[in-house]
Each structure stands twice: as C-alpha cells, then as structure tokens.
Amino acid sequence: MQSHNDTTAKSGDPVAVLGQRIQQALAQVLGPEYADADPLVRPAQNKAFGDFQSNAAMGLGKKAGRQPRQLAQEIVDALDAGDLCEPPAIAGPGFINITIRPEALNAMLADMDQEHLGVEPLDRGHLVAVDMVGVNIAKAMHVGHLRSSIIGDSVCRILARLGYEPLPQNHLGDWGLQIGMLIDYVMQEQIDLDSLTLPDLEVAYRESNRRCKENPEALERAKARLVLLQQEQPAEIDAWHKVTRITLDACYEACDLMDLTLTRDHERGESFYRERLKPVVDALLERGIAEESEGAIIVRFPSENPSSDASGEDDEIDEEQSPLVIQKSDAGYLYATTDLAGIRYRVGELGAERLIYVVDARQRDHFKKVFTAAGMAGWDVLPGRDDSERKAELIHVAFGAVCGKDGKPLKTREGENVKLMDLLQEAVRRAQAIVQEKNPDLSDQEKAEVARAVGIGCVKYADLSSQLGKDYVFDWDRMLAFEGNTGAYLQNQYVRIRSIGRKAPDDVNPAAPFCIEKPHEKDLALTLLRYPTMLAGVGRTLEVNKLCQYLFDLAQTYSAFYTECPVLKAESPALRDARLRLCNLTAAVLADGLHLLGIRTLERM
RNA sequence: GCCCCGGUAGCUCAGUUGGAUAGAGCAGCGGACUUCUAAUCCGCAGGUCGCAGAUUCGAGUUCUGCCCGGGGCGCCA
C-alpha cells in the first residue's frame, strides 16, 4: 500500500536527520538487522526535556531482551550527532532527550529557504483521479456539495504541490430516470429552454417528479422519454444538453466564488459511462464474479470471518455481507455499475494510480463493496507497467454532515437544503460587515476583496480543520470570530508579517544568515522545519485537518515571536536581517499552506 | 438483527506504529495598546478521557463485553 517512501532523510528536517543518525547507532548497538528499525523521533512533549525525544530504546529493549535504560545509554554512546545536537540525556524508563544546536537550525533553515520550501516533489506523471462536487442536473448546489467541493479542491492542490497530477472528476448526476421525467415535462409543456434559469428548472423538476408520482401515465411517458434519450434521438439530446448547460452555468458561479480549480474540462458525469455499463456487467458475469439472483445481477462477497472461531460459543452462521446489485431485474443499471465503469476507465484508460472519492460518509459501505468488486475483477491493476501487479489505490475520503447548532444536519427553516450560493454569499456579507467595523479606512474595493477572501476562507477553514469523517457544527459566529482557530486568524498573521516587510529599510540583506538564539526564535524555527514532512504525510493520508492544525501552530508560534522579538528594532542590523528573513520564510510557508487549503492571502485586512 | 462512525474541559475540537504531568480555541476571570496591524499577546481557572474488565514497566490510544448518539443494510443516487 505505502508505495511512497518518505523516510528518506530530507536534509532540512531535524526529525529525519536525527532519526537517520539514531538508526546508525541502533545498527551498531543491536546489529545490522536493526538498521531500519523506527527511531521514533518526536518533537519533545515537554520543552523542559529538550527539543526532540526518541522513544526507540523502550520498545526495542523489550524486543531484544535488553534493559531499556541501559540500551538507551548504549545508543547515546554510539550516536554520532555532535554536529546536530548537545549530548543527549536519558530519562525515565529510557527516553532519549535531544537538544538541537542553534548552528544546525540555522543551516537547516537556510536549506529550507528556497522556492519549494523544502518540499520535494515526485517525478511527473503520477495521475490521481479525484471524484468530487457531484452536481445533479436541474438542482442548484446545496450544503451537501460544500464539503465535497472544498475538500476535493484542497486535496487536488496538495497533491499537485507534491508533484502528483490531479484530475478532478465532476461526477454529474446527468443520466437517469429523473432526467427522463424532467425532459418529458419540459417537452410536454413546450417550455422554452433557451430562456430558462436554474430556479425555473428546479420548479420544473419538482413538478415533473410530482406528476410521475401521482400519475402512472406520466411515469410511463418519462420512461419512454428516457429510452429515446438513451437512443440519442436529436430532440431529446438537444433538451438534455440545454438543461445540463443551465445547471452547470449556475453551478460554476458557486465554484468560481469558492475558487475551485475544477473547470468544465473535468465534467465526467454518469452519461459519460453510458456505453461502458453493459461491458462491466458482461465482464463480471463472464468471470463468474457476478451472478443472477431474483432477476437481478449481483456480486456476492465472501464472509470476512469464514467460520465460527475456536471458542465455538457462537455457532450461528455468519451473516453474509449484503451483495452489490449491478443490474436491476428490469435490466436497468445502478450507480454501483457506473462507479465500477468509472474505476475501469480511470485506472485502465487514464492510468490513474490513486482514485480518490470525496463523498459523504454514509456511502462507506457502498464504496467498500465497489472497491472490493473492482479488486476481484482486477480492475485496480495498473496497465502497461513492468510490474503488472502494481495496483491503484482506491480511497474513499468520507466526510460527515454539516450540522446546525442543534447538532442536526443543516436545513433552512422550511426544512429544505440550504443553497450553497446563499451560504457563501452570507459568509461574504457577514465578513463585509466586520471589515467595515474593523478597518473602515480601506477603499470600498479593498473591503470587498477582504470580505470575499475572509468570508469564503472562514467557511473553508471551518470545513477542513476537523477530522473529515466526523460531522461538524456550522456556526457563523465561531467561524467568523477573528479570534482563535479560524481562517481569518491565519490570514491576519500573514498580513502582520507582510506589514513588517513593507516597512523594512532598503539596505536589508535578504540572504543574511539565520541567527536562532532566543527561545521564541527557536520555537518558530522548529515549527517551520516541520512543514515538508507534515505536508508529505498529508499527501499520503489526506488528513487535511493536519495541515490546518500545523498552520495554526505556526501562526501562534509566530505571534509569540512577534511580541517578544523586535524585528525592525532589533539590537543590530545583522539580527534585524536575520529576523526579517525568518519572518519572510514564515510568510512563505503560511501563504503556501493557505493556498493549499484554497484560502486567499491578503496584504491588508 | 447485522455492519460502520463517534463519545476527551461548560461549548467546539486536537491528541502521530502504546510513552513522561491528557492539549488547543471559544466562553469565564486577571493583565498588556502614544503598536513592527490589539482582527494580537501573556497569565489563571477548568478533566471519573462513556462504563467495566483484559494485555504490560506504561493505555485517551490495543483487545473483549456493555451503555449512549448518529449513519448504513439487494434491485434510489
């Protein structure tokens, strides 16, 4: 699974460099078979103990039958790291506490202070398909699309930053009975599609639904219309194109407001797979993976616990996992069929090596089954490789519900889904009011820019900053309060740094050597140096909230530095320049990270 | 009935293959502004980590059972 090895020591990462040295010591003390044991280097949990700690001696001591504390001593004796740190201390049951030397920090910071900020991208050509947004025809985007859009976009940005080539896939709901109902309705009523707006279309959609529910004849007509559409009759196709266009034009307004990188080129709706559904079913039947059952075609899954265990207490037959239906008894296909066709296309034709689905957590079981079925068919095997066994990674990035303060999924007072555009516009409006109050001197244009960046940024940050799989509480006051863990807090820290930069005199040396001495400087340096490894981890696990957490740490650490360490009024020009460079590096990391979250930075706010 | 996710401070949440005294933010209380943007910072207070067992030098973290909340469970997407 873990095809991406990030243990290669990056010269600018103290954890990696120290880890490497400790591994050498481990090999020396315990033998070469321990050369790749995890050195378990972590930032010190308590500053009083030093900067870093290694917990390796305790676990390995048990494993190798050695006394942990004594083993720790032997590791320390064998450790060759005098250029990096003070002589380590041993504490408790066998913690190795490490204090890094300022010169080492200065060198690592200089190493990091380049355009790529220490992040080493992969070679080109690693395609990743990201299934996101998932707009439905004839419906405006609502809160349900918020998370898929925001998370998917951030995932794309992060992967691109790490050298992957993300391919957003807007999996439109554009092919099914509901389209047949809608098209039949607008054609029956002779509605002029050229002057229709999305709200009109939504009304028509609801009306067509209602009719089909009440009137069997209407339903039959809709089904017949769907057949005509699927036969690609010109009139039906024309109507379908038009309703699709109306829907998407409106949806892209919301996408633009959210600054999504996704474009029209990334439309891969259900209709895209329409010719690929039958082959999916045929192939699975042919290989005996799928079978007929009660008129439908299904894929069964072997039970995970093959038989009752040794205890024999539980002699009931294991409940079989429910099967995956890929063709209905009326010969119609389902979204599982489309998803399987999608995997086949994305892996087999595009050659994507990771397929990421940013979809509601309630579909966990669905994706688990679809992924398993795809694996059974071998559709996750990457084509055209020497090592033909290399498999694409199939990942469901499941996200929880957006809830109101009452803890229940967010709805309007009328009990309807909140429209995404309304929500975004309210965010901007609320931010506008706050800018007006906090900084009335800005020009109107600047205020509008700040309101947009802050309003949208806060919504995004609130969405990305807790564990994605959990529900989260959507609370305007908390997310827009510019105190605490919010997007605006981060944006403001950036503004404060840039303000110093603007006021710096002309004679500063931008390449002045770093000079880490004070505790707050050291904290900031250590936090900055965590960035590349942190980001690589997020690229692997897609835990975007950890990027948020890191940026908040960085911003707070910077703030403490800012209050304690004068920059422009530093005691000497050399120190001033060194601190200014530290500020600039912090700004660069903050801007980079915010950009990866899809949050705009500002020069003033 | 079965499966999945969650339960940590008054509220919203972190907690990295098991590590030292469980951390933030908000709210509360007390301080710091003729500023390098106070949209900030510093300090105080606040906890039976849902409950009970098990594993071990050590458990919020692993295992088992239970309680509570949410979600899912063959022809909707």
Side-chain angles (χ1 to χ4, degrees):
Chain A
M1 282 287 273
Q2 296 209 353
S3 51
H4 314 291
N5 179 0
D6 62 1
T7 58
T8 46
K10 297 187 171 80
S11 53
D13 178 4
V15 172
V17 180
L18 284 168
Q20 220 173 36
R21 302 288 180 90
I22 289 173
Q23 279 185 326
Q24 288 167 9
L26 286 171
Q28 206 176 314
V29 173
L30 291 169
E33 66 269 30
Y34 286 87
D36 50 9
D38 193 332
L40 292 173
V41 178
R42 302 282 141 81
Q45 193 175 340
N46 186 331
K47 267 182 219 167
F49 298 137
D51 302 321
F52 297 95
Q53 63 185 62
S54 164
N55 303 336
M58 291 168 292
L60 290 174
K62 186 189 278 184
K63 200 172 153 196
R66 304 278 283 272
Q67 241 224 319
R69 219 187 137 98
Q70 195 189 331
L71 178 60
Q73 185 60 56
E74 289 179 49
I75 293 169
V76 168
D77 291 342
L79 182 65
D80 176 21
D83 55 328
L84 297 172
C85 59
E86 310 297 340
I90 296 163
F95 296 102
I96 299 172
N97 290 329
I98 298 164
T99 300
I100 201 128
R101 295 171 59 125
E103 311 90 85
L105 282 181
N106 293 336
M108 289 181 192
L109 285 170
D111 212 58
M112 180 179 175
D113 190 13
Q114 302 176 51
E115 200 181 343
H116 57 77
L117 298 172
V119 178
E120 289 165 25
L122 301 167
D123 302 333
R124 294 288 146 186
H126 297 264
L127 258 51
V128 183
V130 182
D131 195 299
M132 52 186 280
V133 182
V135 170
N136 290 310
I137 296 307
K139 287 188 194 165
M141 291 172 85
H142 56 81
V143 265
H145 299 102
L146 178 75
R147 302 206 73 187
S148 181
S149 304
I150 291 175
I151 296 165
D153 186 57
S154 180
V155 163
C156 286
R157 289 166 182 265
I158 290 166
L159 293 175
R161 178 74 171 83
L162 292 168
Y164 290 93
E165 199 175 316
L167 290 168
Q169 305 275 296
N170 189 351
H171 197 80
L172 314 170
D174 65 350
W175 202 252
L177 184 57
Q178 73 278 20
I179 307 294
M181 295 192 290
L182 175 70
I183 290 179
D184 185 62
Y185 177 81
V186 296
M187 291 175 84
Q188 283 284 323
E189 299 292 317
Q190 298 185 321
I191 293 170
D192 177 16
L193 285 172
D194 291 316
S195 61
L196 215 59
T197 64
L198 184 56
D200 300 334
L201 208 53
E202 288 193 281
V203 171
Y205 178 79
R206 272 197 293 270
E207 182 59 18
S208 70
N209 248 296
R210 195 183 58 77
R211 279 197 192 178
C212 288
K213 216 178 250 177
E214 292 171 358
N215 181 354
E217 276 175 42
L219 184 61
E220 285 312 308
R221 241 186 11 248
K223 285 184 178 174
R225 191 70 77 179
L226 180 62
V227 171
L228 292 176
L229 174 65
Q230 291 178 339
Q231 289 169 351
E232 314 216 1
Q233 297 294 317
E236 280 72 17
I237 286 287
D238 182 59
W240 174 70
H241 275 308
K242 281 177 178 163
V243 295
T244 302
R245 217 57 272 158
I246 293 166
T247 306
L248 289 175
D249 284 348
C251 288
Y252 286 121
E253 282 178 33
C255 292
D256 285 346
L257 188 49
M258 289 189 289
D259 289 327
L260 298 194
T261 52
L262 173 126
T263 68
R264 293 176 191 274
D265 296 335
H266 303 119
E267 289 168 18
R268 284 290 179 277
E270 292 166 348
S271 63
F272 178 82
Y273 298 104
R274 59 193 190 247
E275 300 301 327
R276 301 166 200 258
L277 300 178
K278 186 169 185 298
V280 162
V281 176
D282 290 347
L284 291 174
L285 278 173
E286 214 168 282
R287 296 194 216 177
I289 294 166
E291 61 190 86
E292 204 233 288
S293 169
E294 296 169 35
I297 309 295
I298 65 169
V299 178
R300 290 190 197 276
F301 302 101
S303 177
E304 281 173 12
N305 315 327
S307 61
S308 51
D309 53 18
S311 70
E313 293 293 319
D314 185 359
D315 53 9
E316 280 180 53
I317 302 159
D318 278 319
E319 194 77 15
E320 190 185 20
Q321 193 185 353
S322 67
L324 184 68
V325 180
I326 56 172
Q327 186 167 13
K328 297 190 282 184
S329 50
D330 69 358
Y333 301 109
L334 299 101
Y335 77 137
T337 330
T338 310
D339 278 333
L340 284 168
I343 292 175
R344 230 180 159 184
Y345 168 72
R346 291 167 189 182
V347 178
E349 293 184 48
L350 296 178
E353 47 186 76
R354 301 175 86 187
L355 307 192
I356 296 172
Y357 293 82
V358 186
V359 181
D360 193 310
R362 285 174 300 187
Q363 296 195 27
R364 275 192 173 111
D365 289 350
H366 166 73
F367 281 110
K368 193 179 169 201
K369 287 192 277 191
V370 168
F371 292 169
T372 305
M376 287 158 69
W379 291 339
D380 55 348
V381 176
L382 286 159
R385 307 270 175 154
D386 295 338
D387 46 350
S388 63
E389 284 304 293
R390 250 201 87 197
K391 288 182 177 177
E393 226 185 320
L394 309 179
I395 310 161
H396 176 207
V397 175
F399 56 79
V402 181
C403 297
K405 278 197 211 177
D406 58 358
K408 291 178 186 158
L410 199 62
K411 300 275 180 187
T412 62
R413 275 186 221 93
E414 293 73 34
E416 301 205 327
N417 282 323
V418 176
K419 292 238 165 56
L420 182 52
M421 211 53 185
D422 292 346
L423 184 147
L424 296 173
Q425 282 166 348
E426 180 163 3
V428 175
R429 196 165 56 243
R430 284 172 180 259
Q432 176 88 40
I434 297 168
V435 180
Q436 182 64 42
E437 182 202 326
K438 298 276 187 188
N439 205 346
D441 296 337
L442 292 177
S443 71
D444 284 352
Q445 192 195 335
E446 258 184 312
K447 277 180 208 159
E449 280 168 22
V450 171
R452 173 178 175 166
V454 170
I456 302 297
C458 283
V459 170
K460 287 192 178 191
Y461 190 81
D463 200 274
L464 296 168
S465 57
S466 64
Q467 284 180 47
L468 302 180
K470 303 215 288 195
D471 296 352
Y472 80 94
V473 178
F474 191 96
D475 178 346
W476 287 117
D477 294 331
R478 192 185 310 125
M479 78 173 75
L480 281 160
F482 296 155
E483 288 150 1
N485 194 352
T486 66
Y489 174 83
L490 298 179
Q491 286 169 316
N492 184 50
Q493 295 311 318
Y494 179 78
V495 165
R496 296 213 298 168
I497 302 174
R498 299 291 288 171
S499 176
I500 291 183
R502 274 197 303 275
K503 291 190 176 163
D506 295 334
D507 64 333
V508 299
N509 173 12
F514 286 101
C515 179
I516 300 302
E517 283 174 353
K518 294 259 176 68
H520 288 97
E521 293 172 316
K522 190 172 182 181
D523 288 346
L524 183 54
L526 288 170
T527 305
L528 285 166
L529 291 171
R530 274 166 40 208
Y531 185 63
T533 303
M534 178 283 307
L535 196 58
V538 172
R540 195 174 54 250
T541 65
L542 308 177
E543 294 165 309
V544 183
N545 59 304
K546 291 193 172 168
L547 173 55
C548 295
Q549 184 61 50
Y550 169 81
L551 293 174
F552 183 61
D553 277 355
L554 178 62
Q556 276 198 315
T557 307
Y558 175 79
S559 271
F561 161 82
Y562 176 89
T563 39
E564 293 300 321
C565 300
V567 177
L568 299 179
K569 296 173 191 162
E571 298 101 84
S572 71
L575 187 60
R576 178 198 67 190
D577 291 3
R579 284 183 177 165
L580 208 44
R581 194 173 170 200
L582 200 56
C583 288
N584 288 336
L585 182 56
T586 305
V589 172
L590 220 38
D592 195 51
L594 283 170
H595 176 74
L596 296 179
L597 297 175
I599 295 174
R600 293 185 179 190
T601 51
L602 297 159
E603 295 301 313
R604 291 183 177 79
M605 64 186 273

